[in-house]
Amino acid sequence: MSNADIEELWIDAWNQLYTLRGERRDVVCLLPDGQRCTFEDCLGWLQDSVYAGYQVHSAEVWYQGRKAIQVSRSEPT
């Protein structure tokens, strides 16, 4: 996979995260191990994961009574 392909993948992942966040500025992000992190840290985690060769996923979930974003990754197929 070329660097351009990798950059396109993490940009797509970032765009999806921004879409899930919407207008909320205080959104909680959850890493696969359940650790809470800031939105900015979540963006960095996605980028690092893509550059390490993982496929990344994000989804809106309920966490402590409010919407949050859960990110995960899987080995490339």
Side-chain angles (χ1 to χ4, degrees):
M1 186 175 293
S2 73
N3 283 344
D5 292 334
I6 291 170
E7 286 183 20
E8 186 175 329
L9 288 174
W10 70 256
I11 289 170
D12 288 345
W14 278 32
N15 287 337
Q16 183 178 9
L17 202 66
Y18 276 102
T19 297
L20 289 171
R21 181 182 80 170
E23 297 299 317
R24 297 176 289 159
R25 296 291 176 240
D26 63 341
V27 67
V28 172
C29 290
L30 303 170
L31 298 178
D33 63 3
Q35 180 183 357
R36 291 175 57 157
C37 68
T38 66
F39 185 79
E40 290 75 21
D41 288 341
C42 195
L43 291 170
W45 183 90
L46 286 172
Q47 184 175 357
D48 291 346
S49 295
V50 169
Y51 273 96
Y54 292 98
Q55 293 181 351
V56 294
H57 316 278
S58 56
E60 194 169 64
V61 297
W62 284 97
Y63 176 76
Q64 295 183 343
R66 66 182 192 166
K67 291 182 182 179
I69 299 172
Q70 173 76 56
V71 292
S72 61
R73 64 185 180 190
S74 58
E75 295 290 336
T77 55

